[in-house]
Amino acid sequence: MAPGEKIKAKIKKNLPVRGPQAPTIKDLMHWYCMNTNTHGCRRIVVSRGRLRRLLWIAFTLTAVALIIWQCALLVFSFYTVSVSIKVHFQKLDFPAVTICNINPYKYSAVSDLLTDLDSETKQALLSLYGVKESRKRREAGSMPSTLEGTPPRFFKLIPLLVFNENEKGKARDFFTGRKRKISGKIIHKASNVMHVHESKKLVGFQLCSNDTSDCATYTFSSGINAIQEWYKLHYMNIMAQVPLEKKINMSYSAEELLVTCFFDGMSCDARNFTLFHHPMYGNCYTFNNKENATILSTSMGGSEYGLQVILYINEDEYNPFLVSSTGAKVLIHQQNEYPFIEDVGMEIETAMSTSIGMHLTESFKLSEPYSQCTEDGSDVPVTNIYNAAYSLQICLYSCFQTKMVEKCGCAQYSQPLPPAANYCNYQQHPNWMYCYYQLYQAFVREELGCQSVCKQSCSFKEWTLTTSLAQWPSEASEKWLLNVLTWDQSQQINKKLNKTDLAKLLIFYKDLNQRSIMESPANSIEMLLSNFGGQLGLWMSCSVVCVIEIIEVFFIDFFSIIARRQWHKAKDWWARRQTPPSTETPSSRQGQDNPALDTDDDLPTFTSAMRLPPAPGSTVPGTPPPRYNTLRLDRAFSSQLTDTQLTNEL
Amino acid sequence: MPVKKYLLKCLHRLQKGPGYTYKELLVWYCNNTNTHGPKRIICEGPKKKAMWFLLTLLFACLVCWQWGVFIQTYLSWEVSVSLSMGFKTMNFPAVTVCNSSPFQYSKVKHLLKDLYKLMEAVLDKILAPKSSHTNTTSTLNFTIWNHTPLVLIDERNPDHPVVLNLFGDSHNSSNPAPGSTCNAQGCKVAMRLCSANGTVCTFRNFTSATQAVTEWYILQATNIFSQVLPQDLVGMGYAPDRIILACLFGTEPCSHRNFTPIFYPDYGNCYIFNWGMTEKALPSANPGTEFGLKLILDIGQEDYVPFLASTAGARLMLHEQRTYPFIREEGIYAMAGTETSIGVLLDKLQGKGEPYSPCTMNGSDVAIQNLYSDYNTTYSIQACLHSCFQDHMIHNCSCGHYLYPLPAGEKYCNNRDFPDWAYCYLSLQMSVVQRETCLSMCKESCNDTQYKMTISMADWPSEASEDWILHVLSQERDQSSNITLSRKGIVKLNIYFQEFNYRTIEESPANNIVWLLSNLGGQFGFWMGGSVLCLIEFGEIIIDFIWITVIKLVASCKGLRRRRPQAPYTGPPPTVAELVEAHTNFGFQPDTTSCRPNAEVYPDQQTLPIPGTPPPNYDSLRLQPLDTMESDSEVEAI
């Protein structure tokens, strides 16, 4: 014999392949109920009386149903979060601070670009409202009179119109004086709800698409809004054609804007600020930007350990039509965040000291599958056109800009350029304005789908600000302070500083308490399993072992018994066909259905009953069978059962 | 006697052992335990046996692992938070008001006279160097100047900067007219700080002259004020009836007498409303301006110390009762000529303390002596940081800084007694190491309270009402029929609770012992259907195991020594009955029909065999042969 076969035989001997022990399904069930560790099943078998048995069946099934229901609840509530709030007193990173002058470009530097536009605006103001130029401005720019003869460029592009309430659908082009019929829709920027005073005159402008058949007219309740919007449209158009370097040169330099700078008890200067050119605010300067090698941090709270700057706001250089307020804009943001200065910036007044006390709150959300947020924006189908970390606003603007390039063929001026696109201007895109307005309306009404595509980011830092104002400089110190500041700035400015030219800004941590709001999974796999265990144990004292038992009994044994039955039947049928009148088959059948062995599911007896000829086992009771006790047991049990049944029936 | 008998019995019992072998023990355990796996190991065929053995082992490992995870989670002391917000009647916050200028200039003029002249001269030098400088210098007091002079650093030649003393004649400078060639373009103003009798010097550079001059002046003023007795300083500040003109709390009138004075070195005399130190704190039961505090203050801007306070306004801070107001760090400004309305929301975070988070309940476990304990206030981390700084200051410079309280037996720094103090102080103030040590030594307080403010402002008094308001206020304060106040000096404050006046975030342990036990039970139940009793069972078995092992070892040792075959019996030789009992004790007897739990119903069947013949381990032996017999028959059948 080969060694392999030897081993095979040994395995066969030691680990024989056998079917289930129970001969019938009923036996199997009985055996399972008697032997399982699960509570309830046993009760079904041992209960006496039909009612009790039924009750126990009902209880057991209810318990099973409850377990399934509770476990389903546990599974469905698996992805919930618990929130924890922690406070840490520690050294904190100072945020990036972006400071801009509200006026984007020095008026003296851009006036040659804007002369035509300004003179036309002045004309419009004069003829519409009878506004004469103030004395101060006239000496600054003396060009408007010279331009009388040249044909107006800007009114031709977008005419300013005056509407009269009583004659609907007619408007007067104020420049030519002609009345013209207005077709198409009129969009009132001033909604009907906001009628402050029933003005007879409405000012607006008309935007038309290429073929001028499709026009939209925008009217405003106040001439201020109309003129500013109209001016802004032209301004953006002009500025879109100016190269970036030139624009940076036209705007304020860091040395000019920042008179003094003090951080964490140390002097700082313009070198600590990085330039950031904003299309609508010109040169902005960011303190503590990511381009610095190390992010500055503070280890002390209080105003003298924060950033203290004095800003020079030169009101003489303000553009009268573009901006109507004086001061600076400040934004506190993260180092890698894009400063949306026009949206969330804070305004700083001149001749004031503005103290901004900060409290830092950090929030962390759990991303998928807990909530719909994104860690870094990589799973959002919008390309980030900003050179900054992902945020919801960046996503929305990128989405809009991309749509703009798609629909109108050019990019909007106040947002960065997507690759392979250029800013809109009249020379190349004569009808961009109309397109932009239409698209913007659609964007606001959430028709572009940007709002549904963009997700919020999962973690963000928030600085809660407490702003307070005080008069600065104080009356007592005004004299000397202005003198010294003039000396400080004498390199840039050759004039005596006035207190309305200056603004003081203090940004500091009130205390170094950092609050972190963190989401953490409320459930883990361990918790889920132990909750399962708790449920299974509570209702049925069941465990995974029971589940395996159930699988074993109900799926493996059950089917193998059925299969064996069928196999035997088939075998019998085959045998009968081979030798039709056979006496052997009934005997073997008898062996299988032997009543004495039927209820006995003990292994060897059963097998012997199955496999051995029936004669020795059944006919000779005299020989001492090893399972004497068990036999008697069963008998006793069955007799008892019949007894109870009898009593029940009686 | 009975005790001795009992003990002897016990000893005999111990010596005899549990009376069964390892195998019997195991089989008995597997058969009778309530844990779900083991039962299956012994009552089925060998293949299933192996499978069940592996499964049981696997599940036992899983349970152990999960238990480890849970215990680890429990020991990480996590907290969960609960948030509550709404409106309730609460103590109105303590309100501290100060003036931006620490002293009335008219009252401190005599102290600052020399410094003022010097400052004027310095400004003259910087701004207009060419103008006459000889006529003024004669009257100047150069002792304070020479201690820490201001210098001009000419950086027009970056490789070789030239240091110019502002008053060239007083120090070793070769340039006769120092400022004349240098006009802010390339020149920076710096402060020279020297220590060790002027041998070790450093320059503190400033990018703007404004800062340099201000810092220099503050340093000099600190030196002067630190030599003045505290009670005199209080007299030089603003008196309560001068600064607080009108006060109304809810509908109750109040006056400056309701304010507790406190001397704060930065801002002079400060006044605290509702501090709760001597009397009970006032509650506010309604939201809105009408139920809050209304104050009218006069800051007297024209009497400001010109170089100390360049910002004009009232300084105020809201804080909890019985806490020290660190107004320099956490205060806000209120502007003159305006009405400032402040809506208050109390934001409170209650921590759990050790071991959940490293915070301190009352500061008793912080290694730094709280210098603010004299004020009878509660612990706060600001107090700790300031105390820590003063501690370092005294350690390094051997004198205390004027801005912080003094520990017992120490003196404030001044130029006369401690000539190196300025150098020492500024280097300490800039030192990152010092700050970080203090930060690491101080613990945050477990209860973090913040008053969130919503600030809004309006012009006040209005043009129409300005006249009579100023008249009435002047009349009340100075009993004069003329207007003694100006719009630039008066501040109106409204402080009130918002509609939601509190937001409390409370920490509670996320995982308590009940949580741990129920999860341990859940895991054990899930994998093996076990409970604590099963563990006790298991422990019992292990004790039995050890017992058997010990007895066996003892027996074998004895046997080796005596070389007697009867060695297994230790102690008195057992009687036959004992032997029989040992083997036929049906409590420990594995039964072939053990898979049927109701086998025990008929125990008398077991005792049927004649007790006289002791079949050693017959039953347990029978287990194996039976199986092999079966398998044999099986093989044959197949």
Side-chain angles (χ1 to χ4, degrees):
Chain A
M1 238 203 220
E5 270 180 57
K6 228 180 192 170
I7 292 163
K8 222 173 168 181
K10 216 171 185 179
I11 290 169
K12 229 175 185 178
K13 200 181 169 189
N14 287 328
L15 299 167
V17 179
R18 238 182 307 144
Q21 298 158 6
T24 60
I25 287 164
K26 199 185 166 204
D27 288 328
L28 184 76
M29 290 298 119
H30 189 259
W31 177 87
Y32 170 75
C33 286
M34 290 305 279
N35 287 289
T36 181
N37 282 311
T38 319
H39 298 176
C41 285
R42 199 181 145 87
R43 285 279 131 206
I44 297 173
V45 181
V46 296
S47 288
R48 298 168 187 188
R50 202 173 290 157
L51 183 69
R52 276 187 196 212
R53 195 171 285 196
L54 278 175
L55 269 179
W56 274 110
I57 289 173
F59 284 148
T60 314
L61 287 179
T62 317
V64 171
L66 276 172
I67 287 171
I68 291 168
W69 175 51
Q70 296 282 334
C71 289
L73 284 186
L74 284 175
V75 169
F76 288 132
S77 66
F78 184 72
Y79 288 121
T80 51
V81 290
S82 66
V83 178
S84 66
I85 301 176
K86 288 222 165 96
V87 177
H88 281 290
F89 201 94
Q90 61 185 45
K91 193 171 158 178
L92 293 178
D93 283 349
F94 202 76
V97 179
T98 300
I99 301 168
C100 315
N101 199 332
I102 286 185
N103 185 43
Y105 304 108
K106 280 186 252 180
Y107 197 55
S108 56
V110 286
S111 55
D112 53 326
L113 286 168
L114 298 175
T115 33
D116 292 356
L117 180 60
D118 285 355
S119 65
E120 280 182 41
T121 314
K122 279 169 197 162
Q123 269 181 40
L125 283 171
L126 186 68
S127 62
L128 275 176
Y129 300 97
V131 182
K132 296 246 166 56
E133 269 185 274
S134 68
R135 239 170 289 120
K136 195 177 156 202
R137 284 286 166 202
R138 195 176 289 162
E139 54 198 59
S142 54
M143 52 280 186
S145 54
T146 58
L147 277 149
E148 286 298 331
T150 53
R153 277 199 293 146
F154 300 102
F155 289 124
K156 258 197 188 149
L157 281 168
I158 305 169
L160 264 177
L161 303 170
V162 181
F163 298 84
N164 269 328
E165 281 287 292
N166 38 21
E167 27 187 334
K168 287 243 159 70
K170 287 231 171 140
R172 187 165 58 86
D173 189 330
F174 96 91
F175 186 70
T176 51
R178 268 182 321 193
K179 289 213 169 161
R180 57 154 96 179
K181 216 169 165 90
I182 296 299
S183 57
K185 53 186 172 179
I186 296 176
I187 296 159
H188 288 275
K189 279 277 188 171
S191 65
N192 291 326
V193 196
M194 292 276 287
H195 265 303
V196 183
H197 58 99
E198 286 294 317
S199 158
K200 281 195 187 123
K201 252 196 313 193
L202 278 175
V203 183
F205 49 83
Q206 197 175 30
L207 295 174
C208 292
S209 71
N210 244 349
D211 45 357
T212 64
S213 60
D214 189 14
C215 284
T217 313
Y218 296 88
T219 62
F220 300 84
S221 66
S222 163
I224 293 176
N225 295 337
I227 299 234
Q228 274 199 329
E229 285 287 310
W230 181 84
Y231 187 88
K232 219 176 191 171
L233 287 176
H234 289 295
Y235 171 81
M236 288 201 290
N237 173 41
I238 293 166
M239 280 300 159
Q241 299 164 51
V242 179
L244 184 65
E245 292 88 70
K246 199 181 168 195
K247 280 196 281 191
I248 288 172
N249 286 332
M250 285 193 300
S251 192
Y252 303 90
S253 69
E255 286 83 7
E256 218 171 336
L257 183 68
L258 304 152
V259 183
T260 69
C261 167
F262 210 58
F263 178 73
D264 202 10
M266 299 286 259
S267 262
C268 50
D269 60 10
R271 282 167 294 182
N272 297 64
F273 288 79
T274 44
L275 173 75
F276 155 74
H277 189 83
H278 189 275
M280 295 313 290
Y281 285 96
N283 283 359
C284 293
Y285 294 93
T286 308
F287 178 74
N288 195 19
N289 202 5
K290 63 180 167 187
E291 277 143 47
N292 291 24
T294 50
I295 292 171
L296 296 168
S297 58
T298 32
S299 45
M300 285 290 267
S303 58
E304 67 255 60
Y305 295 101
L307 178 72
Q308 300 181 23
V309 285
I310 294 173
L311 305 173
Y312 174 60
I313 311 288
N314 192 357
E315 217 186 324
D316 296 343
E317 294 279 11
Y318 267 48
N319 186 327
F321 306 110
L322 190 67
V323 286
S324 47
S325 52
T326 318
K329 274 221 160 191
V330 173
L331 183 66
I332 292 163
H333 57 102
Q334 270 184 74
Q335 271 77 17
N336 57 1
E337 226 175 351
Y338 183 84
F340 283 102
I341 200 114
E342 75 272 36
D343 295 340
V344 282
M346 244 173 55
E347 270 135 17
I348 301 291
E349 218 176 321
T350 55
M352 293 278 174
S353 155
T354 309
S355 358
I356 303 174
M358 301 186 289
H359 270 297
L360 175 60
T361 310
E362 265 187 310
S363 311
F364 299 98
K365 283 184 77 150
L366 287 173
S367 60
E368 300 273 355
Y370 291 96
S371 68
Q372 293 280 322
C373 70
T374 173
E375 295 283 354
D376 55 354
S378 54
D379 51 341
V380 173
V382 174
T383 45
N384 185 349
I385 56 170
Y386 291 84
N387 180 24
Y390 178 87
S391 75
L392 180 64
Q393 213 153 1
I394 280 183
C395 176
L396 288 174
Y397 279 130
S398 302
C399 177
F400 178 77
Q401 187 75 300
T402 320
K403 286 268 158 44
M404 175 96 186
V405 173
E406 235 170 69
K407 295 254 165 69
C408 309
C410 59
Q412 211 259 328
Y413 175 65
S414 62
Q415 287 148 25
L417 272 180
N422 44 0
Y423 284 129
C424 294
N425 60 57
Y426 281 120
Q427 272 68 42
Q428 285 155 18
H429 314 277
N431 65 329
W432 75 269
M433 204 81 78
Y434 179 71
C435 177
Y436 166 69
Y437 264 84
Q438 293 294 320
L439 202 67
Y440 189 75
Q441 289 295 326
F443 176 72
V444 170
R445 279 188 234 114
E446 301 193 12
E447 282 164 8
L448 293 183
C450 289
Q451 281 86 349
S452 59
V453 157
C454 288
K455 296 182 202 168
Q456 54 182 327
S457 56
C458 285
S459 66
F460 54 94
K461 277 184 173 179
E462 192 195 353
W463 284 272
T464 321
L465 308 179
T466 313
T467 313
S468 62
L469 294 179
Q471 195 190 326
W472 177 89
S474 66
E475 289 203 328
S477 60
E478 192 179 322
K479 210 177 118 241
W480 76 267
L481 206 60
L482 290 176
N483 280 335
V484 181
L485 286 171
T486 310
W487 185 81
D488 272 337
Q489 277 302 84
S490 57
Q491 202 171 349
Q492 270 78 36
I493 311 139
N494 287 318
K495 70 160 198 169
K496 174 116 174 54
L497 289 178
N498 203 342
K499 77 173 175 183
T500 49
D501 291 332
L502 298 164
K504 190 177 181 182
L505 173 68
L506 301 151
I507 298 174
F508 55 92
Y509 277 112
K510 282 185 111 178
D511 54 31
L512 300 178
N513 269 341
Q514 178 193 349
R515 285 195 181 183
S516 324
I517 303 174
M518 257 176 287
E519 279 188 353
S520 49
N523 296 306
S524 58
I525 285 288
E526 291 97 59
M527 290 274 285
L528 185 73
L529 291 184
S530 77
N531 283 331
F532 278 174
Q535 289 296 333
L536 290 173
L538 177 67
W539 299 110
M540 288 188 85
S541 170
C542 188
S543 67
V544 172
V545 174
C546 302
V547 176
I548 294 175
E549 263 177 19
I550 289 168
I551 292 167
E552 186 192 354
V553 169
F554 284 90
F555 292 92
I556 300 169
D557 285 2
F558 194 85
F559 289 111
S560 55
I561 285 173
I562 291 174
R564 189 165 62 198
R565 265 269 170 85
Q566 297 302 322
W567 169 249
H568 275 292
K569 265 188 190 159
K571 223 159 81 175
D572 286 350
W573 176 79
W574 182 250
R576 234 179 294 139
R577 253 188 65 165
Q578 293 299 84
T579 50
S582 173
T583 48
E584 285 296 303
T585 25
S587 72
S588 75
R589 219 154 143 217
Q590 208 179 37
Q592 203 178 343
D593 301 332
N594 195 332
L597 300 160
D598 196 359
T599 44
D600 192 348
D601 48 9
D602 199 40
L603 183 61
T605 328
F606 159 63
T607 344
S608 53
M610 274 270 293
R611 299 292 175 216
L612 297 175
S618 57
T619 49
V620 193
T623 46
R627 260 140 315 284
Y628 179 70
N629 288 338
T630 54
L631 279 172
R632 231 179 86 164
L633 252 163
D634 264 9
R635 215 185 310 136
F637 187 69
S638 55
S639 69
Q640 260 177 337
L641 206 68
T642 48
D643 275 353
T644 47
Q645 270 175 342
L646 273 169
T647 46
N648 272 359
E649 276 163 22
L650 276 170
Chain B
M1 275 302 117
V3 179
K4 198 183 169 190
K5 218 172 181 179
Y6 179 74
L7 284 174
L8 206 72
K9 221 174 169 182
C10 279
L11 186 74
H12 281 179
R13 177 94 184 105
L14 272 172
Q15 281 174 339
K16 204 180 76 182
Y20 33 79
T21 58
Y22 292 133
K23 192 166 180 179
E24 278 169 337
L25 187 69
L26 267 182
V27 168
W28 177 82
Y29 171 73
C30 289
N31 206 6
N32 288 290
T33 181
N34 279 313
T35 326
H36 288 179
K39 208 168 187 178
R40 281 283 122 82
I41 298 177
I42 51 150
C43 67
E44 278 172 275
K47 202 163 38 141
K48 278 199 174 169
K49 246 184 209 172
M51 189 191 84
W52 276 109
F53 180 70
L54 283 178
L55 271 180
T56 312
L57 212 63
L58 175 75
F59 287 165
C61 291
L62 272 174
V63 169
C64 286
W65 172 53
Q66 300 277 319
W67 278 11
V69 170
F70 274 115
I71 290 166
Q72 211 176 3
T73 316
Y74 178 71
L75 291 180
S76 65
W77 306 112
E78 276 169 28
V79 287
S80 65
V81 290
S82 62
L83 181 123
S84 59
M85 66 181 298
F87 186 90
K88 64 181 178 192
T89 304
M90 274 194 311
N91 283 342
F92 200 74
V95 180
T96 306
V97 285
C98 311
N99 203 339
S100 288
S101 173
F103 306 107
Q104 279 179 276
Y105 191 49
S106 50
K107 288 185 184 171
V108 290
K109 225 166 188 165
H110 63 282
L111 287 172
L112 300 174
K113 203 170 62 195
D114 284 349
L115 189 59
Y116 180 77
K117 277 186 190 158
L118 200 58
M119 186 73 172
E120 293 275 280
V122 165
L123 291 180
D124 271 357
K125 283 273 174 195
I126 294 172
L127 300 175
K130 286 193 185 82
S131 65
S132 56
H133 65 275
T134 42
N135 56 350
T136 49
T137 46
S138 54
T139 56
L140 293 177
N141 176 359
F142 277 107
T143 48
I144 48 174
W145 171 258
N146 286 341
H147 191 262
T148 39
L150 281 172
V151 293
L152 275 175
I153 298 176
D154 190 347
E155 279 175 336
R156 276 169 297 185
N157 182 0
D159 302 325
H160 183 69
V162 183
V163 179
L164 310 162
N165 197 319
L166 274 180
F167 298 104
D169 47 326
S170 67
H171 224 272
N172 54 341
S173 181
S174 52
N175 201 324
S180 59
T181 50
C182 178
N183 235 354
Q185 267 85 356
C187 275
K188 293 277 168 273
V189 182
M191 195 155 49
R192 191 171 63 193
L193 297 160
C194 292
S195 78
N197 290 329
T199 48
V200 184
C201 284
T202 53
F203 292 100
R204 186 149 184 249
N205 291 342
F206 293 93
T207 49
S208 85
T210 322
Q211 284 162 5
V213 170
T214 316
E215 290 283 310
W216 178 81
Y217 189 87
I218 288 173
L219 206 65
Q220 298 295 355
T222 308
N223 165 42
I224 290 167
F225 289 127
S226 63
Q227 296 172 49
V228 182
L229 286 175
Q231 54 265 39
D232 295 340
L233 286 176
V234 171
M236 285 185 268
Y238 290 80
D241 54 336
R242 228 200 94 78
I243 190 164
I244 299 157
L245 299 181
C247 170
L248 191 69
F249 181 69
T251 49
E252 296 282 312
C254 47
S255 73
H256 58 85
R257 276 177 285 277
N258 298 65
F259 287 76
T260 318
I262 185 171
F263 184 75
Y264 198 91
D266 280 296
Y267 297 110
N269 288 343
C270 290
Y271 298 96
I272 309 179
F273 177 76
N274 196 24
W275 204 9
M277 279 296 185
T278 47
E279 68 276 358
K280 253 187 89 196
L282 296 167
S284 178
N286 279 294
T289 346
E290 291 308 307
F291 302 93
L293 179 70
K294 290 178 179 173
L295 281 177
I296 298 175
L297 309 173
D298 174 32
I299 57 166
Q301 217 190 116
E302 44 307 325
D303 210 7
Y304 268 33
V305 182
F307 304 106
L308 270 186
S310 61
T311 310
R315 204 89 164 103
L316 87 152
M317 181 186 168
L318 307 182
H319 53 107
E320 247 188 322
Q321 270 78 33
R322 312 180 73 83
T323 55
Y324 188 82
F326 290 96
I327 198 155
R328 196 161 61 132
E329 283 81 16
E330 292 171 45
I332 58 164
Y333 280 108
M335 201 161 64
T338 58
E339 174 174 358
T340 307
S341 295
I342 301 170
V344 179
L345 164 80
L346 173 77
D347 192 5
K348 196 167 190 176
L349 208 147
Q350 279 179 315
K352 200 73 193 118
E354 299 280 355
Y356 295 97
S357 52
C359 65
T360 173
M361 283 292 178
N362 53 12
S364 56
D365 50 342
V366 176
I368 290 158
Q369 189 211 341
N370 187 358
L371 297 179
Y372 291 88
S373 55
D374 292 348
Y375 294 99
N376 204 10
T377 51
T378 50
Y379 173 86
S380 69
I381 189 158
Q382 296 283 5
C384 178
L385 287 174
H386 288 188
S387 303
C388 179
F389 180 82
Q390 188 73 310
D391 222 42
H392 283 233
M393 185 82 192
I394 284 165
H395 189 254
N396 291 3
C397 315
S398 63
C399 62
H401 193 261
Y402 166 70
L403 292 182
Y404 310 107
L406 268 187
E410 300 293 339
K411 280 170 84 179
Y412 279 131
C413 298
N414 60 60
N415 287 351
R416 199 178 55 225
D417 301 335
F418 309 95
D420 295 346
W421 81 273
Y423 175 80
C424 176
Y425 164 68
L426 286 172
S427 60
L428 191 68
Q429 200 197 15
M430 289 299 116
S431 141
V432 179
V433 181
Q434 181 271 327
R435 289 185 200 172
E436 268 162 21
T437 3
C438 283
L439 262 185
S440 63
M441 279 173 91
C442 287
K443 285 182 187 174
E444 64 231 69
S445 174
C446 286
N447 289 346
D448 175 39
T449 308
Q450 288 173 8
Y451 285 96
K452 301 251 175 211
M453 293 179 277
T454 312
I455 302 170
S456 57
M457 295 200 300
D459 262 7
W460 183 86
S462 64
E463 274 183 27
S465 64
E466 188 176 336
D467 203 43
W468 73 265
I469 285 179
L470 292 178
H471 244 293
V472 170
L473 290 174
S474 315
Q475 173 82 46
E476 274 177 357
R477 194 182 68 177
D478 302 326
Q479 280 85 40
S480 78
S481 52
N482 297 331
I483 293 176
T484 53
L485 296 161
S486 80
R487 196 193 165 75
K488 298 228 162 170
I490 50 171
V491 179
K492 190 163 194 254
L493 286 173
N494 296 322
I495 302 164
Y496 58 91
F497 277 139
Q498 286 175 7
E499 204 171 330
F500 286 101
N501 72 344
Y502 74 94
R503 187 173 73 186
T504 312
I505 297 165
E506 209 168 342
E507 282 187 348
S508 54
N511 311 321
N512 51 16
I513 201 81
V514 178
W515 173 91
L516 181 70
L517 285 181
S518 77
N519 276 312
L520 294 186
Q523 283 294 336
F524 199 18
F526 182 67
W527 296 111
M528 297 182 81
S531 66
V532 176
L533 290 177
C534 297
L535 288 181
I536 295 172
E537 266 177 19
F538 194 70
E540 192 191 351
I541 293 302
I542 290 193
I543 289 170
D544 278 357
F545 231 94
I546 294 164
W547 193 0
I548 295 172
T549 317
V550 169
I551 285 170
K552 273 203 170 160
L553 279 175
V554 169
S556 62
C557 285
K558 268 188 185 163
L560 277 174
R561 216 163 14 159
R562 293 188 193 169
R563 295 180 189 286
R564 262 163 57 179
Q566 301 99 305
Y569 292 118
T570 56
T575 59
V576 176
E578 268 179 314
L579 278 174
V580 168
E581 206 230 356
H583 288 287
T584 58
N585 189 347
F586 55 80
F588 301 109
Q589 209 156 20
D591 199 327
T592 37
T593 60
S594 59
C595 296
R596 300 182 156 269
N598 50 358
E600 285 143 22
V601 182
Y602 307 98
D604 52 326
Q605 301 301 323
Q606 301 293 340
T607 49
L608 272 179
I610 313 122
T613 50
N617 292 343
Y618 175 75
D619 287 337
S620 54
L621 281 170
R622 221 170 77 175
L623 246 151
Q624 268 318 99
L626 260 175
D627 267 8
T628 46
M629 190 196 80
E630 280 163 29
S631 52
D632 278 350
S633 62
E634 186 92 326
V635 172
E636 280 162 25
I638 291 162

